[in-house]
Amino acid sequence: MKIKRVCIVGGGSSGWMTAAAIAKLCPHIKVTLVESPNIKTVGVGESTLGHINRYMRLIGLKDEDWMPACNATYKNSIRFTNFRENNGTHFEYPFVDDYDFSFSGGLDLITWSELSALYPEEFGPKTFAEFHALSNTLLATHNRQTNNKNNKLRYFNFDYDTAYHMDATAFGIYLRDKVCIPAGVTHIKANIIARKHDDKGIIHSVLIEGDRDIGADLFIDCTGFRSVLLEGWQSSIFCSYKNILANDHAWAVRLPYSNRIEQMHNVTDCHALGSGWVWNIPLWNRIGTGYVYSSRFITKEQALIEFKNHLKPIHKNVNVEELDYFHIPIRHGKRAKAWLGNVVGIGLSYGFVEPLESTGLLTTHENIISLVGILNQRNGYVSRTEREVYNFTVNRAIDQFARFVSNHYGLSMRQDTPYWRWATQKNDYDPELNGIHVPRDDYNAMAYSTVYGDQAMNPQMQGMNFIMAGMGVRPVSSEHMFIAKHGKNPQDEDARRRELEQIKNRFFDEREKYVKYIKTLPTHYEYLKENIYGGVDEHDV
């Protein structure tokens, strides 16, 4: 298959992100994007992970150029409140390019767990993030921001250890106007009516309104959950994640700021409720928030009441009852093949896990990068093997994301509602789940075998380590386990105790110095105002 022409069906963030990447990195390919003039998008704010920085660099975007157009802010961490227990506690999952092992003298991840076993009051679940990513965890804790040009922080790389909150709809428009159209992408606003294809399912062209044919060698489906081309025309089977993920709907709303300095956090706050969780995404111009819940355990009306009751004590200056709420159905799962024939699904048209951990945009830009790599490496020539490799790669990735997200619920200690009891103790043989796709357990097996088999967390499973520790899981769970680990030689045990005492003191001394320094840095809002928004905030006028 020689690809010289690509037709992207559907706009939005996934369509224009795909068009921008191909236009920038595959200049030998002619790109046409067709989007319906009738599809409306309602943006409530989108959260990203650090992986998006690679996409931004590939297409040459600079923060100071695109962020103001998208009301974007920075994100240093994900905060999980009430996920472990329903008692108001939280833990951080900071972005970190490399673990900070300096406190432990270059030792492995087991050190924190040994400290936790010997000093449980001082090294609770929350301290894992501080111990292994002190700089970014404290930046998130104190809502401060800095960059690589002017900071004294060790193991903090602004270019990799921050991501973004953004208006994804505005981001798509920015890419359309500033990247795609100037690069020669043809933009057509029209509805797709039909397709012309051969008996093997290869599409030659799509018919749009006005009886016009749009021909291409490769068609990219960016039609969202409808998956018009990939699932509808190509019959790529939908595989649900219903067996491991319960959340299937969301209530969402936009909120005004009452105190921008305090409320514009550099974290995505995820707050667990009785039948799901609430996201809080602070954009430059407003706050986007929503309640992701499971209709198996709560009705649409009950969920809205619970959501409003959550918002009222937090946003006392806002009349929560008069806000404009909208309801969003969620279809979590994937299509069995992301690339079938000459159709590739990108974004929701291929698959979606759920909003937790920002996997929506994550799978989008990572799959775009994989696709562009294939289109670019041999000047548009694509073999069956390359299509199979692409399908294997993206299928394995989204399955692992699904398992990773499910562990945020499955590892919880909460048992206070039917929702949390199902999430933590669900029966694998539930008749309701028969015939539903089950992602392979490789991810869970890796996580738990490294903890309980080798008695050490796995550095390659960076994110999972933060979640497991935050949920209270640790390889060395008590002083008795510590003693057993060091065998029968009391001299070895005493030596290790003395070493850990030194590490403990060094860690707390260093943390005190870092807190003192970080409090001198600008707040997240102040940093954005000065470095991204030109020192002016029209919302303060």
Side-chain angles (χ1 to χ4, degrees):
M1 177 189 292
K2 180 71 172 179
I3 298 172
K4 298 180 180 179
R5 301 171 300 162
V6 166
C7 177
I8 301 170
V9 179
S13 54
S14 62
W16 289 112
M17 286 174 72
T18 305
I22 297 176
K24 277 281 190 179
L25 303 172
C26 304
H28 53 283
I29 294 177
K30 171 64 178 174
V31 181
T32 300
L33 187 146
V34 182
E35 64 175 337
S36 170
N38 304 322
I39 302 294
K40 303 296 182 182
T41 58
V42 183
V44 290
E46 189 87 25
S47 181
T48 64
L49 298 177
H51 307 70
I52 199 172
N53 289 299
R54 183 165 64 128
Y55 174 85
M56 297 298 195
R57 288 174 181 79
L58 281 172
I59 64 173
L61 292 190
K62 295 181 179 179
D63 288 358
E64 58 270 25
D65 294 333
W66 73 268
M67 286 181 69
C70 305
N71 283 298
T73 62
Y74 287 113
K75 173 181 174 181
N76 295 56
S77 178
I78 308 170
R79 180 170 298 162
F80 295 97
T81 303
N82 281 355
F83 270 77
R84 183 178 70 252
E85 299 172 87
N86 188 22
N87 58 7
T89 57
H90 72 270
F91 63 90
E92 299 283 351
Y93 171 18
F95 301 136
V96 56
D97 186 46
D98 193 15
Y99 282 115
D100 184 351
F101 288 124
S102 59
F103 307 118
S104 57
L107 301 177
D108 61 21
L109 285 160
I110 200 70
T111 303
W112 171 84
S113 188
E114 290 185 285
L115 288 165
S116 184
L118 295 179
Y119 311 104
E121 297 299 320
E122 296 176 275
F123 286 90
K126 186 177 177 179
T127 61
F128 179 88
E130 292 182 339
F131 196 80
H132 294 105
L134 182 64
S135 297
N136 220 10
T137 302
L138 292 180
L139 286 171
T141 299
H142 298 283
N143 197 26
R144 306 288 170 147
Q145 194 59 273
T146 185
N147 56 39
N148 289 339
K149 298 177 183 177
N150 184 28
N151 79 74
K152 301 176 182 178
L153 301 175
R154 183 186 58 233
Y155 286 84
F156 173 71
N157 187 331
F158 180 78
D159 294 333
Y160 295 95
D161 297 345
T162 57
Y164 309 97
H165 302 121
M166 69 169 75
D167 182 330
T169 301
F171 185 56
I173 293 171
Y174 179 87
L175 292 177
R176 179 192 70 191
D177 296 342
K178 301 296 184 181
V179 179
C180 297
I181 292 177
V185 173
T186 300
H187 180 208
I188 301 172
K189 281 200 169 186
N191 289 310
I192 298 290
I193 299 173
R195 73 193 189 281
K196 293 181 179 179
H197 62 96
D198 61 23
D199 57 0
K200 296 181 180 179
I202 300 299
I203 300 175
H204 299 299
S205 64
V206 294
L207 182 66
I208 65 173
E209 294 168 324
D211 199 29
R212 180 181 173 189
D213 269 352
I214 307 295
D217 307 303
L218 181 68
F219 292 85
I220 300 178
D221 188 343
C222 294
T223 61
F225 284 128
R226 296 175 301 140
S227 193
V228 174
L229 278 68
L230 185 61
E231 184 179 352
W233 289 355
Q234 298 296 89
S235 300
S236 186
I237 300 169
F238 181 75
C239 306
S240 175
Y241 289 138
K242 185 179 179 181
N243 65 308
I244 59 171
L245 296 172
N247 298 334
D248 55 4
H249 292 84
W251 279 106
V253 70
R254 297 170 174 174
L255 288 166
Y257 281 108
S258 55
N259 187 322
R260 299 168 69 77
I261 292 180
E262 292 183 4
Q263 293 176 300
M264 196 175 290
H265 297 163
N266 56 355
V267 302
T268 300
D269 189 12
C270 306
H271 193 116
L273 297 185
S275 296
W277 63 280
V278 172
W279 78 74
N280 187 83
I281 296 178
L283 301 181
W284 179 250
N285 60 333
R286 56 176 166 80
I287 299 171
T289 184
Y291 181 21
V292 186
Y293 71 93
S294 171
S295 63
R296 299 186 212 178
F297 301 98
I298 194 172
T299 67
K300 178 180 178 182
E301 294 74 20
Q302 290 170 332
L304 182 57
I305 292 171
E306 188 179 11
F307 183 31
K308 289 179 178 179
N309 289 337
H310 167 77
L311 294 176
K312 286 175 183 177
I314 301 173
H315 301 278
K316 295 179 180 178
N317 296 326
V318 177
N319 189 336
V320 169
E321 295 292 341
E322 294 185 356
L323 295 173
D324 185 18
Y325 296 86
F326 50 96
H327 196 246
I328 306 169
I330 296 173
R331 194 185 186 199
H332 46 59
K334 66 175 186 181
R335 279 73 195 177
K337 288 189 176 182
W339 192 332
L340 188 55
N342 65 334
V343 173
V344 179
I346 294 288
L348 301 179
S349 62
Y350 163 58
F352 184 66
V353 176
E354 70 140 275
L356 195 70
E357 287 287 354
S358 311
T359 53
L361 275 182
L362 174 65
T363 55
T364 297
H365 58 66
E366 292 304 287
N367 292 0
I368 289 171
I369 291 172
S370 296
L371 175 62
V372 168
I374 291 173
L375 297 178
N376 194 38
Q377 65 184 0
R378 292 198 287 177
N379 203 35
Y381 176 78
V382 178
S383 68
R384 183 186 68 181
T385 299
E386 286 161 311
R387 295 196 300 272
E388 291 173 347
V389 168
Y390 178 86
N391 280 330
F392 173 81
T393 301
V394 302
N395 270 276
R396 181 178 61 178
I398 197 170
D399 278 354
Q400 288 186 344
F401 292 148
R403 282 289 180 190
F404 178 50
V405 170
S406 75
N407 282 330
H408 292 59
Y409 308 104
L411 284 172
S412 174
M413 297 165 61
R414 291 187 59 165
Q415 298 287 293
D416 52 300
T417 67
Y419 171 90
W420 287 103
R421 288 193 291 274
W422 181 91
T424 59
Q425 307 295 333
K426 58 182 176 289
N427 184 353
D428 293 338
Y429 300 99
D430 187 339
E432 180 188 354
L433 307 179
N434 283 346
I436 295 174
H437 171 71
V438 180
R440 292 180 60 186
D441 282 327
D442 295 4
Y443 195 86
N444 283 352
M446 285 178 63
Y448 281 92
S449 66
T450 51
V451 169
Y452 295 109
D454 302 334
Q455 290 197 338
M457 292 181 174
N458 186 345
Q460 294 180 339
M461 302 191 68
Q462 191 172 64
M464 191 62 190
N465 292 332
F466 283 99
I467 302 305
M468 293 177 73
M471 291 293 189
V473 177
R474 57 185 190 266
V476 181
S477 55
S478 67
E479 186 167 355
H480 295 291
M481 294 293 290
F482 172 83
I483 294 171
K485 176 181 183 293
H486 289 281
K488 299 179 180 180
N489 189 336
Q491 292 181 338
D492 291 344
E493 180 190 328
D494 290 343
R496 182 57 175 160
R497 284 178 182 271
R498 289 192 297 272
E499 184 179 21
L500 288 170
E501 176 76 18
Q502 294 173 353
I503 292 171
K504 176 179 77 94
N505 294 336
R506 189 161 63 244
F507 167 70
F508 284 119
D509 287 345
E510 195 79 351
R511 186 174 70 173
E512 184 178 350
K513 294 176 184 177
Y514 269 52
V515 169
K516 185 176 180 180
Y517 168 68
I518 282 174
K519 284 184 176 180
T520 69
L521 297 174
T523 66
H524 181 219
Y525 168 75
E526 292 167 341
Y527 180 89
L528 286 166
K529 183 177 178 180
E530 181 65 28
N531 293 276
I532 300 299
Y533 289 90
V536 177
D537 182 3
E538 61 185 21
H539 304 92
D540 289 340
V541 178

